[in-house]
Amino acid sequence: MYIDTHSHLFAPEFDADMGIVMARASEAGVSKIIMPAVSPESYDDMERLAARYPGVLYPTIGLHPTEQGDTGEAEKRLEADAGRYIAIGECGLDMHWTPETIDRQTEILSRHFELSRTYGLPLIIHTREAFGRMIELLRHNTGLKGVMHGFAGSVDDYRAIKETGDFLFGIGGTVTFKNSRLPEAVAAMSLDDIVLETDSPYLSPVPYRGRRNESANIPLIAAKIAEIKGCSVDTVAAVTTANAERMFDFSRI
């Protein structure tokens, strides 16, 4: 069985065929799917979906780094019922889309760190073209835990992040891309540090690159990791599922 630790199933790309998408995920062996929040506008849709598929879909609460608001609505919902959420995020730093707001992003990320500590929830951290700054922040905020979503850093980035706290690394469809440098990092990682993710509807693995992504593609990602690590797909499935279950307390919802 697999766990998809990052899927935006509340995106409009899934409105027309959600039932079919969920059936395909189940057939592929995906037993649980974590839905990282993006903005306050996504919260209600995300929570409705989680209620529709209890024990399968798990929502988080937070603010994507490209959003320039504040964490007020997320904090209000956490205070009302923190037990509805599996993690804090998707939060982080993005120097690709909004480099001019990096100072504001840093402020908001620091607030997510505080929420993680207050509620004892792991973080789901987005980092794009900002690993140097992210590592610096984590070194000044030791003792945190969570998943480095869509990890695209170097072997050195991986090792530096591991020194700052209890972090796992989300590996998705990018690992299957022909010119990706991610396989080099994955080869150096311990399998005990890896969780699987799709980031659907984005970043479909080969051979579906360019199409809508969905959780049913998780076995393709697992197969590529198995190839890189020289182990069986069953081993990747078992270890990454155990890693996700260690990091996220699915029993809280």
Side-chain angles (χ1 to χ4, degrees):
M1 301 296 287
Y2 298 100
I3 295 176
D4 183 351
T5 62
H6 203 107
S7 175
H8 300 289
L9 282 169
F10 49 83
E13 287 88 342
F14 297 107
D15 287 349
D17 61 346
M18 177 61 68
I20 294 171
V21 167
M22 293 300 295
R24 279 197 291 256
S26 179
E27 290 168 6
V30 179
S31 61
K32 295 181 176 68
I33 301 170
I34 296 175
M35 297 185 297
V38 174
S39 68
E41 289 73 29
S42 69
Y43 295 169
D44 288 341
D45 290 340
M46 177 185 64
E47 290 178 16
R48 277 193 292 268
L49 269 179
R52 184 176 165 188
Y53 295 96
V56 180
L57 300 187
Y58 294 83
T60 76
I61 196 76
L63 201 64
H64 191 279
T66 59
E67 297 290 326
Q68 299 308 306
D70 59 48
T71 59
E73 180 61 22
E75 293 175 46
K76 185 172 87 172
R77 295 189 183 220
L78 280 165
E79 185 176 353
D81 186 3
R84 285 187 295 181
Y85 306 104
I86 201 81
I88 303 295
E90 172 179 359
C91 55
L93 301 176
D94 194 308
M95 289 286 283
H96 179 80
W97 294 113
T98 52
E100 72 282 358
T101 66
I102 190 63
D103 289 339
R104 176 62 178 156
Q105 291 180 46
T106 302
E107 291 175 14
I108 297 171
L109 179 58
S110 295
R111 184 57 187 148
H112 284 87
F113 289 170
E114 293 172 14
L115 292 173
S116 174
R117 290 192 175 99
T118 298
Y119 292 97
L121 291 172
L123 294 150
I124 295 180
I125 299 180
H126 168 115
T127 310
R128 188 166 185 186
E129 299 177 17
F131 276 100
R133 187 154 185 160
M134 179 62 72
I135 291 167
E136 180 183 356
L137 286 172
L138 293 175
R139 282 173 174 160
H140 286 87
N141 291 272
T142 56
L144 295 170
K145 63 180 180 179
V147 171
M148 302 303 294
H149 149 60
F151 183 69
S154 66
V155 175
D156 287 343
D157 293 331
Y158 157 69
R159 290 172 177 159
I161 291 167
K162 283 294 296 178
E163 291 176 356
T164 69
D166 181 10
F167 287 102
L168 299 175
F169 297 78
I171 304 300
T174 307
V175 76
T176 70
F177 295 175
K178 182 177 180 180
N179 296 319
S180 174
R181 293 181 296 176
L182 187 53
E184 179 183 352
V186 170
M189 290 179 178
S190 167
L191 193 56
D192 291 333
D193 292 334
I194 293 174
V195 290
L196 306 179
E197 62 169 63
T198 57
D199 201 13
S200 55
Y202 317 108
L203 296 174
S204 291
V206 174
Y208 302 117
R209 189 175 182 182
R211 305 182 199 177
R212 182 190 70 176
N213 201 4
E214 58 183 77
S215 295
N217 291 332
I218 279 283
L220 295 171
I221 298 164
K224 182 62 178 181
I225 293 172
E227 176 189 321
I228 294 167
K229 303 299 290 181
C231 64
S232 70
V233 175
D234 286 347
T235 296
V236 173
V239 175
T240 59
T241 294
N243 296 341
E245 289 175 336
R246 179 185 70 78
M247 181 60 67
F248 299 102
D249 182 6
F250 292 102
S251 67
R252 65 183 284 114
I253 298 177

